[in-house]
């Protein structure tokens, strides 16, 4: 990677099963951009094909943005570079890139992570309470092949078995 290469395009990897992440994806799509953004579900086949060197499990846990020259941004830096790409939010991105602004950005990322965790934990308490969570009753999929479906619980589909040719496994102890 060339650290001095200009950024001409960014790919934002987001958790497609997270209602907050989906909301932010939709918000990003509506914003006027100075740098084009591509939004790709984290852990998806497309993400794995485009970025084989990434830890795709980690991309589901923390926002990850990839620049067109191979730059990788995670956590607060990913949010800042995403705001930098937006016409109306570039000044905010510059303020957040200062030492004091970085603390604020980190706090915002931690708050979002805490909210996501609360929604996930609320959903794990049982199928009856799952519907109360903000996940909308959808399947929660992880990049490592595990998925939680409100109707059946935890299942595992090995990578490469997404077409249904392999039988899913039940999570041990779940």
């Amino acid at each position: 990677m060339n650290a001095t290469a200009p950024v001409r395009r960014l790919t934002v990897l987001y958790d497609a099963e997270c209602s907050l992440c989906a909301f932010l994806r939709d918000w990003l799509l509506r914003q006027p951009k100075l740098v084009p953004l591509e939004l790709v579900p984290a852990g998806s086949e497309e993400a794995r094909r485009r970025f084989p060197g990434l830890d795709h499990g980690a991309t589901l846990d923390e926002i990850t943005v990839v620049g067109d020259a191979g730059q990788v941004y995670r956590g607060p830096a990913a949010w800042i570079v995403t705001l930098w790409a937006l016409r109306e939010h570039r000044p905010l991105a510059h303020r957040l890139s200062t030492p004091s602004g970085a603390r604020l950005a980190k706090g915002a990322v931690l708050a979002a992570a805490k909210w996501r965790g609360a929604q996930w934990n609320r959903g794990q308490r049982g199928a009856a309470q799952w519907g109360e969570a903000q996940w909308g009753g959808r399947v929660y999929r992880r990049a490592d092949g595990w998925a939680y479906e409100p109707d059946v619980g935890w299942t595992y589909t090995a990578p490469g078995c997404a077409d249904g040719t392999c039988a899913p496994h039940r999570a041990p102890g779940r």
Side-chain angles (χ1 to χ4, degrees), residues 68-87:
D68 57 332
Q71 309 93 326
V72 177
Y73 308 90
R74 287 189 166 81
W79 282 111
I80 292 169
V81 77
T82 301
L83 289 172
W84 174 83
L86 305 177
R87 183 176 65 216

Side-chain angles (χ1 to χ4, degrees), residues 1 10 37 39 42 45 51 60 71-73 79 83 98 103 106 121-122 141 155:
M1 170 178 82
L10 294 168
L37 295 176
L39 292 113
E45 290 298 321
F51 310 110
L60 283 168
Q71 309 93 326
V72 177
Y73 308 90
W79 282 111
L83 289 172
T98 66
R103 286 191 295 276
K106 183 177 181 180
N121 290 335
R122 196 177 343 164
R141 297 184 198 287
T155 58

Side-chain angles (χ1 to χ4, degrees), residues 1-10 65-73:
M1 170 178 82
N2 182 353
T4 62
V7 175
R8 293 192 175 98
R9 176 174 297 281
L10 294 168
V65 177
V66 181
D68 57 332
Q71 309 93 326
V72 177
Y73 308 90

Side-chain angles (χ1 to χ4, degrees), residues 123-143:
Q124 286 189 45
R125 289 188 208 131
Q129 289 183 352
W130 181 266
E132 297 171 14
Q134 297 300 310
W135 295 91
R138 300 183 316 208
V139 175
Y140 177 78
R141 297 184 198 287
R142 294 176 27 144

Side-chain angles (χ1 to χ4, degrees), residues 12-18 21-22 25 39-43 59-60 63-64:
V12 178
L13 300 173
Y14 70 95
D15 184 348
E17 299 298 327
C18 164
C21 304
R25 174 208 57 214
L39 292 113
V40 175
T59 65
L60 283 168
I63 182 173
T64 303

Side-chain angles (χ1 to χ4, degrees), residues 91-164:
L92 174 60
H94 285 292
R95 285 192 301 276
L96 292 174
S97 67
T98 66
S100 60
R103 286 191 295 276
L104 178 63
K106 183 177 181 180
V109 169
L110 291 173
K114 185 174 182 178
W115 184 89
R116 284 182 71 210
Q119 300 312 304
W120 175 241
N121 290 335
R122 196 177 343 164
Q124 286 189 45
R125 289 188 208 131
Q129 289 183 352
W130 181 266
E132 297 171 14
Q134 297 300 310
W135 295 91
R138 300 183 316 208
V139 175
Y140 177 78
R141 297 184 198 287
R142 294 176 27 144
D144 62 2
W146 286 102
Y148 183 86
E149 299 178 51
D151 300 0
V152 297
W154 285 97
T155 58
Y156 176 78
T157 304
C161 294
D163 61 0

Side-chain angles (χ1 to χ4, degrees), residues 25-79:
R25 174 208 57 214
D26 294 344
W27 180 81
L28 286 170
L29 289 172
R30 293 189 306 269
Q31 300 305 305
K33 295 161 194 69
L34 294 170
V35 174
L37 295 176
E38 294 180 77
L39 292 113
V40 175
S44 67
E45 290 298 321
E46 180 181 357
R48 291 175 188 282
R49 179 184 53 77
R50 291 175 63 176
F51 310 110
L54 281 181
D55 175 352
H56 290 278
T59 65
L60 283 168
D61 293 333
E62 182 174 45
I63 182 173
T64 303
V65 177
V66 181
D68 57 332
Q71 309 93 326
V72 177
Y73 308 90
R74 287 189 166 81
W79 282 111

